[in-house]
Amino acid sequence: METKGAALKETSRAIAGLHLGEAEMPLVTIDVIKDVFTPDQKRSMIEKVTDAMVAVEGESLRPVTWVKINEIAQGDWGIGGKALNAAAVHTMSA
């Protein structure tokens, strides 16, 4: 049985991007504007991005694939010199 200390050590190694056995830990980062996506949509992104990584590298990568969603504050992201907010993104995607 694994101790809490050993589990924490393995998690720390994974966060640091080190190797666990022969498997490298991929970290996929998705940047989105805050309040554009619902929690369900973000969960779906995490699942589908993980599935995409597994499709490329094999099922053994699933338990070590990290997906992180960064929410950027509205107005802190711009395209073409114009700051975007959630309403502008929804208008663009309609």
Side-chain angles (χ1 to χ4, degrees):
M1 184 175 189
E2 192 172 27
T3 66
K4 287 183 182 180
L8 181 59
K9 184 176 180 180
E10 289 302 317
T11 301
S12 296
R13 288 179 64 200
I15 290 171
L18 300 175
H19 295 273
L20 178 62
E22 294 298 315
E24 196 166 315
M25 316 269 180
L27 169 62
V28 180
T29 303
I30 304 169
D31 292 330
V32 299
I33 296 173
K34 188 169 178 53
D35 298 327
V36 170
F37 297 98
T38 67
D40 285 341
Q41 289 172 315
K42 290 184 278 186
R43 274 190 294 277
S44 180
M45 280 186 238
I46 291 168
E47 291 170 7
K48 290 178 180 182
V49 168
T50 300
D51 289 344
M53 294 299 295
V54 168
V56 171
E57 291 292 328
E59 189 62 38
S60 64
L61 202 62
R62 186 176 303 278
V64 295
T65 298
W66 295 65
V67 179
K68 178 174 75 169
I69 298 177
N70 289 330
E71 290 189 297
I72 310 300
Q74 295 187 47
D76 287 353
W77 186 318
I79 298 176
K82 297 183 180 186
L84 294 177
N85 59 26
V89 173
H90 288 295
T91 298
M92 290 170 40
S93 65

